[in-house]
């Protein structure tokens, strides 16, 4: 349990703590550093409080036991590689306050079977769902105007996708090996 006196958690602070199974981030924390909890192989679930405006680069990268993530309303961005390689991630709730989702955020999250992108997002970043081989259903809102390079590459279970009329560019290999 992180006490309420903590307002900032630095880069790689808990990185590699493979036996850590549960952590409570209090509302007093306003910033997380890059790779804060990366490679915490035992971590099972996490709730990002509304006090954190952005989930940093690689924050939960390689947390292979992580199954459930709740992002509170108020978080506006998810930086590159944040959940990359979270192979058992099956449930993630992304609120409409999130406007930006970086490259490779959900790459190799093979447990994901469905996802709804919030209406506030305008770009599906490069390699966002790369290698999500069990992804069957994805909802892309009308707010999206571009789909990045390799965004859905390797999503071999993807059955159907509707590309909104507002999309004006689809990057190379966006749907390669679907």
């Amino acid at each position: 349990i992180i006490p309420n006196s903590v307002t900032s958690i630095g880069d790689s602070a808990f990185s590699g703590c493979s036996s850590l199974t549960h952590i409570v981030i209090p509302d007093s924390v306003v910033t997380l550093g890059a790779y804060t909890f990366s490679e915490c192989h035992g971590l099972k679930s996490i709730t990002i409080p509304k006090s954190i405006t952005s989930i940093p680069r690689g924050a939960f990268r390689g947390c292979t036991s992580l199954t459930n993530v709740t992002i509170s309303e108020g978080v506006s961005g998810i930086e590159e590689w944040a959940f990359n390689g979270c192979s058992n991630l099956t449930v993630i709730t992304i609120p409409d306050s999130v406007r930006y989702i970086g490259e490779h955020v959900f790459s190799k999250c093979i447990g994901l079977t469905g996802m709804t992108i919030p209406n506030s997002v305008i770009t599906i970043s490069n390699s966002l769902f790369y290698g999500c081989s069990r992804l069957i259903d994805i909802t892309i809102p009308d707010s999206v105007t571009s789909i990045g390079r390799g965004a859905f590459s390797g999503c071999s279970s993807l059955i159907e996708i509707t590309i909104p009329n507002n999309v004006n560019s689809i990057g190379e290999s966006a749907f390669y090996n679907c």
Side-chain angles (χ1 to χ4, degrees):
I1 297 176
I2 297 172
N4 287 330
S5 57
V6 175
T7 59
S8 177
I9 302 173
D11 292 353
S12 302
F14 293 93
S15 183
C17 293
S18 58
S19 296
L20 183 66
T21 59
H22 183 73
I23 191 150
V24 175
I25 302 172
D27 286 338
S28 61
V29 175
V30 293
T31 58
L32 294 177
Y35 302 96
T36 315
F37 299 99
S38 68
E39 305 299 327
C40 289
H41 299 294
L43 191 61
K44 295 180 187 331
S45 68
I46 192 78
T47 297
I48 309 296
K50 63 183 176 184
S51 57
I52 295 172
T53 57
S54 183
I55 299 170
R57 179 181 184 94
F60 300 95
R61 184 177 186 184
C63 292
T64 54
S65 295
L66 192 62
T67 59
N68 189 336
V69 174
T70 302
I71 301 171
S72 298
E73 188 72 40
V75 175
S76 62
I78 305 171
E79 300 298 326
E80 295 80 14
W81 306 92
F83 298 100
N84 175 270
C86 294
S87 54
N88 284 306
L89 184 61
T90 56
V91 177
I92 184 158
T93 305
I94 303 174
D96 284 335
S97 61
V98 172
R99 296 184 315 266
Y100 171 77
I101 302 174
E103 296 182 5
H104 295 276
V105 167
F106 300 110
S107 288
K108 300 179 184 174
C109 291
I110 60 172
L112 280 179
T113 58
M115 170 76 70
T116 299
I117 306 290
N119 290 323
S120 49
V121 172
I122 60 169
T123 300
I124 304 294
S125 297
N126 295 338
S127 301
L128 183 59
F129 294 101
Y130 172 82
C132 291
S133 58
R134 294 185 193 144
L135 189 65
I136 296 169
D137 181 41
I138 185 84
T139 301
I140 300 175
D142 289 337
S143 59
V144 170
T145 59
S146 67
I147 297 174
R149 181 181 67 249
F152 297 96
S153 181
C155 294
S156 55
S157 296
L158 196 59
I159 296 171
E160 183 179 326
I161 189 162
T162 301
I163 298 173
N165 289 332
N166 292 334
V167 171
N168 56 40
S169 69
I170 298 174
E172 63 185 67
S173 302
F175 296 96
Y176 181 74
N177 274 342
C178 286

